[in-house]
Amino acid sequence: MDPASLRQILSKYGDVQRIYLVPKDPTSQLRRKITGGFRAKEFSEGWVEFAKKSVAKGVAKILNGEQIGGRRRSSFYYDIWNIKYLSKFKWDDLTSDIANKSHIREQRLAMEVSAAKRERDFYMLKVDRSRAQNSIKERIKKKQKTMEQSLNGGSADISDKVRLFPQNKPVSDDNSKEKPRLSKDFLAGVFAGGSNTDDLA
């Protein structure tokens, strides 16, 4: 039942001024939509203001505990009225109470959101730490692998990396063919003569 339907029913008994209905929890409405239930907006309770107190008292006395009735095809045909007259109750009290409840609900929602953010930040911190640890482990594995390769076949690898430069041939190899060498007899004579002069002196 929505405010328009409620006004239409109660207007038969007197002049209705203001109506306020409290909607149900949105999560329950979402569950109903998912499960294929009633998709329209539902309300848990409400307040109706009549122009005269006497009319309000009479309506509460007559309808309380009675079947709503109306058209048989109506979704609330078999529902029962639960009405109570609130003496010394003003609409301002209702609005202040609604504002207080909405404020409490907003505070609760803010706390839930902050808790969800803390959980998300904690999870992301754990993920970042896990990634950092995995990267450190990968670097250590790579270093160990390179060290093992250098120990096993490092000499071959190093020799392959040495740069080779063109070398000139030794000068003695080329000049030995062009310059004539002294004979062994001539040299023996020279050294023999030197020893004789030493003896004479």
Side-chain angles (χ1 to χ4, degrees):
M1 185 181 291
D2 56 4
S5 301
L6 184 62
R7 182 179 293 274
Q8 182 180 0
I9 294 171
L10 297 180
S11 294
K12 297 184 296 184
Y13 302 96
D15 185 13
V16 178
Q17 292 185 345
R18 287 179 285 193
I19 296 176
Y20 176 74
L21 301 181
V22 180
K24 284 188 176 180
D25 189 8
T27 56
S28 62
Q29 184 179 1
L30 181 61
R31 285 196 298 269
R32 289 197 308 273
K33 288 183 179 180
I34 294 173
T35 56
F38 186 65
R39 294 179 175 269
K41 194 173 184 179
E42 289 187 344
F43 304 92
S44 59
E45 58 182 349
W47 289 263
V48 180
E49 183 184 33
F50 287 89
K52 296 181 179 180
K53 293 182 180 181
S54 58
V55 174
K57 289 180 181 181
V59 170
K61 186 176 181 180
I62 294 170
L63 297 181
N64 187 35
E66 296 295 330
Q67 183 178 340
I68 293 177
R71 292 181 299 177
R72 290 185 177 273
R73 294 182 180 180
S74 176
S75 59
F76 43 84
Y77 176 81
Y78 294 101
D79 292 340
I80 305 299
W81 286 109
N82 184 10
I83 302 177
K84 181 180 179 181
Y85 174 75
L86 302 177
S87 61
K88 298 180 181 180
F89 184 82
K90 296 181 181 179
W91 200 263
D92 294 337
D93 299 334
L94 175 62
T95 55
S96 62
D97 184 63
I98 294 170
N100 188 22
K101 288 181 178 179
S102 63
H103 180 66
I104 293 172
R105 185 169 58 253
E106 289 176 359
Q107 286 183 344
R108 189 184 298 112
L109 180 62
M111 290 176 64
E112 292 177 356
V113 169
S114 62
K117 286 182 179 180
R118 285 196 301 269
E119 291 179 359
R120 183 198 62 187
D121 295 339
F122 180 74
Y123 174 76
M124 294 302 297
L125 180 62
K126 288 290 185 182
V127 170
D128 294 338
R129 287 181 179 177
S130 177
R131 288 178 179 175
Q133 290 177 358
N134 290 334
S135 63
I136 291 170
K137 289 179 181 178
E138 290 294 331
R139 288 198 298 268
I140 292 172
K141 286 181 180 179
K142 287 181 180 179
K143 287 182 180 179
Q144 290 177 352
K145 189 174 181 180
T146 52
M147 290 177 66
E148 289 177 358
Q149 290 178 355
S150 63
L151 291 174
N152 294 332
S155 58
D157 297 338
I158 293 172
S159 62
D160 293 339
K161 294 180 182 179
V162 174
R163 296 180 64 185
L164 299 176
F165 296 94
Q167 300 291 333
N168 295 327
K169 292 182 178 181
V171 178
S172 60
D173 295 341
D174 297 335
N175 295 334
S176 62
K177 297 178 180 179
E178 298 176 358
K179 294 181 179 180
R181 294 183 178 180
L182 296 176
S183 62
K184 294 181 179 180
D185 297 336
F186 177 76
L187 293 173
V190 171
F191 287 109
S195 62
N196 293 331
T197 55
D198 294 336
D199 295 339
L200 292 174

